[in-house]
Amino acid sequence: MIADLTTRRLVICCGTGGVGKTTISAALALRLAQSGARTVVVTIDPARRLASALGMTGLSDEPRRVPADAVLGEGAGELWALQLDAKATFDRLVSRYAADEAARTRILENRIYRHLSGAVAGAQEYMAVERLHELVEDGDFECIVLDTPPATNALDFLDAPQRITRFIEGRALRLLLRPGAVAGGLGWKILHAGSGTVLGLLERLTGAQLLRDVSDFLAGFDGMYQGFADRATAVRTLLLSEQSAFLVIAAAEPDSLGQAVALSRRLTSDGFPLSGVVLNRVHALPGEPPAEQELADALAAAGAEDPGALARDAIAAIADERVLGLRDLDARAELHAAIRDGALIEVPSLAHEPVELPGIAEVAAALGP
Amino acid sequence: MLGKGGVGKSTVAAALALSTARAGGRALVVEVAGQQRLSQLFSAARVGDDEATELRPGLFGISIDAERATEEYLAGQLKIRPLVELLTHSKAFHTFAAAAPGLPELVTIGKIWSMAIALRPDGGAPVWDTVTVDCPATGHGIALLETAGNIEELAAGGPIRDQAARIQEVVSHPAATGIVIVARPQELAVAEAIEATATLRGHGLPVAAAVLNGVHPARFSASDAPPLRAVADAPGAVGEAARAALRHLEQQGDDTAYRTRLAGETGLPVIDLPRVVRRRIDLPALELLADALAQGLASAGAAA
Ligand SMILES: Nc1ncnc2c1ncn2[C@@H]1O[C@H](COP(=O)(O)OP(=O)(O)OP(=O)(O)O)[C@@H](O)[C@H]1O
Ligand SMILES: Nc1ncnc2c1ncn2[C@@H]1O[C@H](COP(=O)(O)OP(=O)(O)O)[C@@H](O)[C@H]1O
Ligand SMILES: [Mg+2]
Ligand SMILES: [Mg+2]
């Protein structure tokens, strides 16, 4: 399955919380780089774990070269990594596309913009769309691997291009942009006469000032809207095309499995090209525990102080591993039943947490052919 | 409850509520963004999104759906039914609401706030003894907690600003709100917990404690290592059991190191919750976690 991914422009890893999206994204990017492609792994999760997984001290909105020579091998491509910074992306966008200096200043100094571009939830997904578009357009990388936030927010990201276009093409924007439509102008009184207008109602909720600020903010982008809509459409087209591949990551925990299957179905029914499912952290199944007496005898011969108690605890330890091993066998069977042949990759639970490059390389090797 | 994906926020939220309920209190667990984890944990039917569903005696759950909460909010604000309908049926409003960053978070935190401060109609006692919020994973969870403060700053005046200010007063007050950072004894989860604590504090939000979830029971001590290592090479089941014991011993050591780091870098009291080895977390397992949590909270309180 991995070999098939080398032909894609964009590989997107999604899944519920803590299943290994970031780890698998990093490992997959390493594999693609090993096979010769100049690759960048991008995280759009505001939590910054990609840097930790790669053992780097920090990542930024510009791609950084991952010092991976030791694990890349002969004839490999380069490996780069990037952490989305919504504010930096938005600022760049404004500088690049604003009609003139006045328009640029008007936006950058708007109070709504200053909050929105940095902190406000939701802006992240929009800027992820823009950043992805930039990366594709710049053409610096043959492969882009995308690490997403936990499932519900990942779906928000996948919906974002459509939300942007709908908003830009919809009536809400035109209403808010109509000169004088918002408090103060003559138009306002006329609108208010029918006191049932959407805008009139909105103002009752937000207060005149906030609505004026919003309107002003949106007006600042005048002339840039078509660009937003065009880029959003381009990203959506890419996400739906065969140039992209989606991987759903699952852990063997029972709740996670059900959610992974549901997510896979959702992606498929929405038309996204799903390549397969990665079942991560599969626990090995050890054999049956030994007879307590036999183990205690061996431990006594090795000088244990209380061989009986130690034998009991050791048997408890292996019994725990068996519970998880058996659970994961069932998980694997359940997934096999739900997913078509050849679309399932299993990654074992590694004895040492795969952080930093050697660990990521171990996961990369475990991804199979 | 805030923390990295999959660390056990929902599980710990349920355990905390269970311990309140078992002590005779009324506990509400709030799920956000349409999650349905509680119904799994308590093997119950879907948890409602408008009214709290009783899952166990004294333990209720609610799963907030932002779109519904927005309509409810509007109804409360505009009071006049036809106006609400006009707005909620307006396509323009829907595209605006769906595209407005921060709006779903604001109505969500607003609804949580209104439940947290609700008083009984009779005596004026609070409706809920504890309201436990099962936040989204760190990145989006922090955004949720910061929303009211951001809107308060962003809106110069008007009703939304006033509401945001009232919400922020509760969310940022250490006597009203305590953010619990949940982590696993793993590098990525602990790193995220430390970072989240600093970010929240930077925004004046009250972090009360950390939970280290899934700690291995202290089965072995360092003096067990030499005999275990001597037996580890033995063929068959005997060697295999000794190797499993050594792995467990190593994890005990890792757990201790992570606890020290988490406590040292955040200055928070750290409450250990044991790793439960079952196929899934069921009610007896939750009860066990609830007891451990109550104990941990009591000793953290005593230490403070
Ligand atoms: N195959 C594996 N073996 C052992 N540990 C693993 C494996 N894969 C991932 N992990 C560990 O599991 C934890 C969760 O992984 P990771 O952070 O990649 O998940 P995620 O899906 O990105 O989480 P989030 O939802 O918070 O973004 C991490 O501590 C990681 O190091
Ligand atoms: N103390 C524990 N011991 C063992 N497994 C646990 C423990 N706490 C949580 N889990 C398991 O970890 C997984 C993630 O827990 P969950 O509460 O859903 O995390 P979150 O809400 O943070 O995403 C679940 O499969 C849950 O059963
Ligand atoms: Mg991640
Ligand atoms: Mg949860």
Side-chain angles (χ1 to χ4, degrees):
Chain A
M1 193 203 300
I2 301 298
D4 167 59
L5 297 177
T6 53
T7 61
R8 312 291 176 112
R9 203 66 218 283
L10 177 64
V11 182
I12 301 122
C13 295
C14 29
T16 46
V19 291
K21 298 175 291 298
T22 305
T23 307
I24 301 292
S25 300
L28 194 60
L30 179 62
R31 272 292 290 274
L32 295 174
Q34 282 167 340
S35 73
R38 188 176 152 92
T39 305
V40 63
V41 51
V42 176
T43 185
I44 59 167
D45 188 346
R48 295 192 287 264
R49 294 289 73 76
L50 180 62
S52 325
L54 291 169
M56 293 170 76
T57 45
L59 289 175
S60 76
D61 202 54
E62 288 303 322
R64 288 215 181 138
R65 180 91 184 261
V66 181
D69 287 346
V71 291
L72 273 173
E74 286 288 302
E78 292 171 2
L79 178 62
W80 295 70
L82 181 158
Q83 157 90 50
L84 171 73
D85 176 340
K87 180 160 172 43
T89 301
F90 211 157
D91 286 351
R92 200 167 46 241
L93 214 68
V94 170
S95 314
R96 189 177 303 167
Y97 295 112
D100 51 38
E101 192 54 43
R104 186 170 310 137
T105 319
R106 183 175 178 193
I107 297 173
L108 293 178
E109 286 179 0
N110 179 283
R111 43 193 289 129
I112 302 272
Y113 177 79
R114 292 215 307 268
H115 276 87
L116 184 69
S117 60
V120 172
Q124 185 82 12
E125 278 74 30
Y126 292 157
M127 287 309 120
V129 172
E130 290 287 352
R131 192 72 186 95
L132 195 54
H133 186 267
E134 281 178 338
L135 282 169
V136 173
E137 283 299 293
D138 291 351
D140 284 346
F141 298 100
E142 291 159 276
C143 283
I144 302 171
V145 179
L146 199 65
D147 167 41
T148 61
T152 40
N153 302 102
L155 292 174
D156 278 355
F157 159 69
L158 296 176
D159 284 343
Q162 272 181 305
R163 273 204 315 275
I164 298 172
T165 16
R166 246 186 264 131
F167 176 67
I168 289 170
E169 283 158 10
R171 216 163 68 88
L173 182 64
R174 254 169 287 140
L175 261 178
L176 284 162
L177 285 179
R178 199 154 59 197
V182 171
L186 176 66
W188 182 244
K189 294 212 184 69
I190 299 166
L191 270 172
H192 235 67
S195 102
T197 61
V198 169
L199 212 52
L201 288 178
L202 270 182
E203 198 220 37
R204 270 172 74 164
L205 293 168
T206 61
Q209 179 66 45
L210 179 56
L211 204 56
R212 202 180 308 131
D213 285 345
V214 170
S215 170
D216 204 48
F217 166 68
L218 293 171
F221 288 97
D222 204 20
M224 293 167 69
Y225 284 110
Q226 196 51 48
F228 282 117
D230 291 346
R231 292 190 296 276
T233 307
V235 168
R236 186 164 164 78
T237 309
L238 172 65
L239 289 172
L240 289 167
S241 79
E242 289 295 323
Q243 287 196 63
S244 300
F246 283 73
L247 282 182
V248 168
I249 321 296
E253 276 114 47
D255 324 305
S256 162
L257 277 192
Q259 286 165 337
V261 172
L263 184 59
S264 311
R265 301 219 163 107
R266 165 85 197 272
L267 289 173
T268 307
S269 72
D270 287 356
F272 295 107
L274 178 69
S275 269
V277 176
V278 178
L279 183 61
N280 187 27
R281 278 193 322 231
V282 179
H283 294 84
L285 177 62
E288 296 275 358
E292 198 177 301
Q293 194 55 52
E294 191 190 351
L295 181 57
D297 289 346
L299 289 166
E305 265 170 52
D306 184 349
L310 188 53
R312 266 194 303 283
D313 284 335
I315 285 171
I318 199 168
D320 281 357
E321 290 188 355
R322 280 185 61 81
V323 171
L324 298 180
L326 287 168
R327 181 195 73 180
D328 292 3
L329 271 186
D330 289 351
R332 178 190 298 163
E334 196 183 320
L335 261 189
H336 268 296
I339 277 152
R340 75 185 153 77
D341 284 345
L344 185 64
I345 296 179
E346 287 176 34
V347 177
S349 177
L350 301 174
H352 292 105
E353 192 182 352
V355 284
E356 309 204 345
L357 282 167
I360 295 298
E362 203 180 336
V363 176
L367 286 172
Chain B
M1 299 295 161
L2 189 88
K4 189 171 152 26
V7 292
K9 295 177 292 296
S10 308
T11 309
V12 179
L16 180 63
L18 191 59
S19 88
T20 305
R22 289 210 297 176
R26 274 167 61 89
L28 176 66
V29 181
V30 183
E31 294 187 287
V32 301
Q35 273 209 50
Q36 282 285 338
R37 183 87 175 84
L38 279 175
S39 44
Q40 289 172 346
L41 280 166
F42 291 99
S43 324
R46 276 183 80 80
V47 168
D49 66 0
D50 51 345
E51 272 192 42
T53 310
E54 187 157 19
L55 296 162
R56 306 273 312 149
L59 194 167
F60 295 72
I62 190 164
S63 176
I64 299 185
D65 171 71
E67 203 165 317
R68 241 199 116 112
T70 308
E71 285 180 23
E72 208 180 282
Y73 167 76
L74 293 175
Q77 290 300 301
L78 298 171
K79 302 213 170 65
I80 308 160
R81 196 70 230 170
L83 288 189
V84 178
E85 267 161 27
L86 181 85
L87 203 53
T88 54
H89 289 159
S90 147
K91 252 186 95 182
F93 174 74
H94 272 285
T95 28
F96 179 74
L103 189 63
E105 286 78 14
L106 183 65
V107 291
T108 300
I109 195 82
K111 178 155 185 182
I112 294 170
W113 166 83
S114 70
M115 293 187 291
I117 62 160
L119 300 177
R120 283 182 218 163
D122 49 358
V127 173
W128 303 108
D129 293 300
T130 60
V131 174
T132 309
V133 183
D134 181 11
C135 287
T138 318
H140 291 81
I142 290 181
L144 175 68
L145 295 172
E146 285 178 351
T147 293
N150 279 329
I151 304 274
E152 186 187 351
E153 276 178 46
L154 175 151
I160 287 215
R161 188 200 168 277
D162 297 344
Q163 274 145 6
R166 278 200 297 271
I167 296 169
Q168 180 64 6
E169 198 185 334
V170 171
V171 174
S172 63
H173 201 301
T177 300
I179 300 169
V180 175
I181 306 284
V182 186
R184 286 278 175 125
Q186 287 170 340
E187 174 62 33
L188 297 191
V190 168
E192 193 153 315
I194 292 168
E195 221 172 83
T197 305
T199 307
L200 290 166
R201 283 180 174 151
H203 285 86
L205 293 168
V207 186
V211 166
L212 194 62
N213 183 33
V215 171
H216 294 76
R219 284 193 181 122
F220 306 101
S221 59
S223 63
D224 294 331
L228 286 171
R229 270 199 287 270
V231 175
D233 295 333
V238 166
E240 205 170 13
R243 292 195 294 276
L246 284 168
R247 278 194 288 274
H248 189 101
L249 175 61
E250 190 184 351
Q251 280 160 335
Q252 283 179 223
D254 289 352
D255 291 359
T256 309
Y258 283 123
R259 182 188 311 105
T260 309
R261 181 161 141 217
L262 186 57
E265 294 201 25
T266 61
L268 292 170
V270 176
I271 299 166
D272 281 6
L273 288 187
R275 184 169 88 124
V276 179
V277 183
R278 306 243 167 125
R279 289 197 154 228
R280 68 164 71 230
I281 303 265
D282 49 11
L283 191 59
L286 266 186
E287 285 174 340
L288 191 143
L289 293 175
D291 289 339
L293 196 55
Q295 244 177 43
L297 282 170
S299 56

